[in-house]
């Protein structure tokens, strides 16, 4: 295979290549962690095309009509780099967040800056501090950097325990806060985030992941970036904007903080992602409409669960944790047998499975299967 020969010529051994080919053939154990990869790791075999896929916090609505138009018209001009589209995206999001454009770094999604921040700011002597249960991608990057991950249980109200996180290690490199949290969809009060920024160990950065912020009632913290705090915020277009496959995102931070994650960057960003993201930002309706729609769907499913005495953790996001009252892996398999693919299990909460909220039709199928499996 030509591709294989190319890798071999560049010094990648046949064994390495076979290992990589194995990763890709499995479609699962890729050497980096993203939501769909993590979702795939917890299931066996491919997902049937007619299955309900509520396992990876994706948005079944896809891009809004304005974004879709922008993507379609820019695709025909895909032979050009068009760096101006990236500049336009950066300026648009910066203006909306009241940030100077140099406080914004554009990316193809937010996994990339998440990994870079952890790689740049943690090391064998600078641990990574994260909530438990929390989004796993960061501690996988910390493993790669040779850094210890310190997992701090959520509080009784399912917020980040910012006091315990600040006290976790005086040499902490990164303290990661996800608001709303993945997988619980629960909020950490803004006052706690402010307290953490003021009281964290010297030399550490707070990495605030606002992937799901638009689904919730939480106030974004970009003003704290503008105030030059030791804070990097991540945003993605994969969630409310429905562009996970198109790829767009950004990191907000003081220029000196962002500088440390730019070193390995090279090349252009996808014009489809940048054009679609700018069009999404310019839409006045996409966020409020989708936020209300999600709230209604969430309330419907929560009242169904209450009516049927099924325990769950109330959430402000597009996902929530359901208590299956058994080792949750068994529940996940039983739901798969009904062609409902629900989310994975976090070791800290072994009886819970994360459920992504899909379309009304998908949630109706979920409810039917759930009653059968929980009976
Ligand atoms: C909390 C959180 N951060 C970051 C990401 C990364 O998403 P993306 O790379 O698609 O922006 C995800 C994906 O699900 C996520 O849940």
């Amino acid at each position: 295979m030509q591709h294989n020969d190319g890798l071999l010529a560049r010094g990648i051994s046949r064994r390495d290549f076979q290992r990589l080919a194995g990763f890709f053939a499995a479609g699962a154990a890729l050497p980096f962690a993203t939501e769909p990869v993590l979702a795939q790791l917890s299931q066996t075999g491919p997902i049937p095309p007619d299955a309900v896929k509520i396992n990876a916090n994706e948005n079944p609505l896809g891009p809004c009509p304005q974004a879709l138009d922008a993507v379609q018209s820019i695709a025909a001009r895909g032979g050009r780099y068009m760096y101006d589209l990236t500049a336009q995206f950066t300026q648009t999001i910066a203006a909306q967040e009241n940030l100077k454009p140099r406080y914004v770094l554009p990316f193809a999604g937010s996994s990339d800056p998440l990994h870079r921040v952890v790689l740049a700011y943690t090391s064998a002597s600078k641990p990574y501090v994260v909530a438990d249960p929390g989004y796993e991608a960061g501690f996988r990057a910390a493993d790669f950097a040779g850094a210890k991950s310190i997992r701090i249980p959520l509080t009784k109200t399912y917020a980040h325990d910012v006091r315990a996180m600040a006290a976790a290690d005086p040499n902490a490199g990164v303290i990661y806060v996800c608001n709303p949290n993945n997988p619980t969809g629960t909020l950490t009060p803004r006052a706690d985030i402010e307290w953490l920024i003021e009281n964290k160990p010297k030399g550490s950065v707070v990495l605030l992941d606002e992937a799901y912020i638009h689904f919730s009632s939480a106030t974004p913290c970009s003003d704290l970036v503008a105030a030059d705090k030791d804070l990097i915020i991540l945003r993605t277009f994969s969630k409310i904007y429905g562009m996970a496959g198109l790829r767009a995102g950004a990191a907000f931070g003081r220029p000196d903080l962002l500088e440390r994650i730019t070193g390995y960057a090279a090349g252009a960003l996808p014009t489809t992602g940048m054009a679609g993201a700018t069009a999404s930002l310019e839409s006045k309706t996409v966020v409020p409409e989708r936020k209300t729609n999600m709230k209604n769907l969430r309330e419907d499913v929560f009242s169904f669960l209450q009516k049927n005495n099924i325990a769950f953790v109330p959430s402000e996001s597009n996902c929530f944790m359901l208590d299956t009252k058994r080792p949750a892996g068994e529940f996940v398999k039983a739901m798969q047998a009904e062609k409902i693919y629900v989310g994975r299990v976090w070791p800290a909460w072994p009886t819970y499975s994360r459920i992504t909220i899909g379309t009304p039709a998908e949630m109706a199928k979920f409810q039917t299967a759930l009653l059968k499996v929980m009976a």
Side-chain angles (χ1 to χ4, degrees), residues 33-36 38 56-58 107-115 134-137 176-183 209-212 234-239 243-245 247-250 318-319 344 354:
T34 62
E35 190 56 56
L38 293 163
N57 283 358
E58 292 163 326
F107 284 97
S110 62
S111 298
D112 184 339
L114 195 166
H115 279 237
Y135 184 47
E136 307 96 317
Y176 173 79
V177 174
C178 187
N179 200 35
N181 189 37
N182 181 5
D209 190 334
E210 294 186 339
Y212 302 92
L234 302 176
R235 288 283 180 81
T236 180
F237 286 74
S238 299
K239 305 303 171 184
M243 290 184 36
R247 314 300 296 142
N318 67 339
C319 65
R344 56 190 180 274
R354 189 193 64 191

Side-chain angles (χ1 to χ4, degrees), residues 51-217:
V52 169
K53 200 170 166 303
I54 47 175
N55 63 341
N57 283 358
E58 292 163 326
N59 188 338
L61 302 178
C64 66
Q66 298 90 326
L68 203 52
D69 277 353
V71 168
Q72 278 166 346
S73 60
I74 219 71
R77 297 163 62 203
R80 305 278 175 197
Y81 288 114
M82 290 190 280
Y83 286 101
D84 51 316
L85 291 178
T86 297
Q88 202 187 339
F89 164 67
T90 305
Q91 277 156 15
T92 307
I93 198 165
Q96 291 190 357
E97 302 292 332
N98 289 319
L99 291 169
K100 294 181 186 126
R102 62 199 179 90
Y103 282 62
V104 174
L105 262 190
F107 284 97
S110 62
S111 298
D112 184 339
L114 195 166
H115 279 237
R116 286 185 202 216
V117 170
V118 176
L119 296 178
Y121 286 95
T122 70
S123 66
S125 61
K126 291 185 146 292
Y128 176 67
V129 183
V130 58
D132 199 12
Y135 184 47
E136 307 96 317
F139 56 74
R140 285 170 180 244
D143 276 357
F144 186 79
K148 183 169 75 170
S149 286
I150 304 176
R151 296 169 202 204
I152 306 288
L154 295 173
T155 65
K156 284 197 184 70
T157 57
Y158 308 107
H160 286 64
D161 187 342
V162 292
R163 279 156 187 88
M165 291 178 98
D169 191 303
N171 293 318
V174 172
I175 304 179
Y176 173 79
V177 174
C178 187
N179 200 35
N181 189 37
N182 181 5
T184 55
T186 50
L187 298 185
T188 298
R190 158 113 183 181
D192 284 359
I193 296 171
E194 289 177 8
W195 184 92
L196 177 63
I197 293 167
E198 297 310 325
N199 294 280
K200 65 179 183 52
K202 230 175 156 215
S204 62
V205 292
V206 173
L207 179 60
L208 177 60
D209 190 334
E210 294 186 339
Y212 302 92
I213 191 93
H214 298 109
F215 289 121
S216 77
S217 60

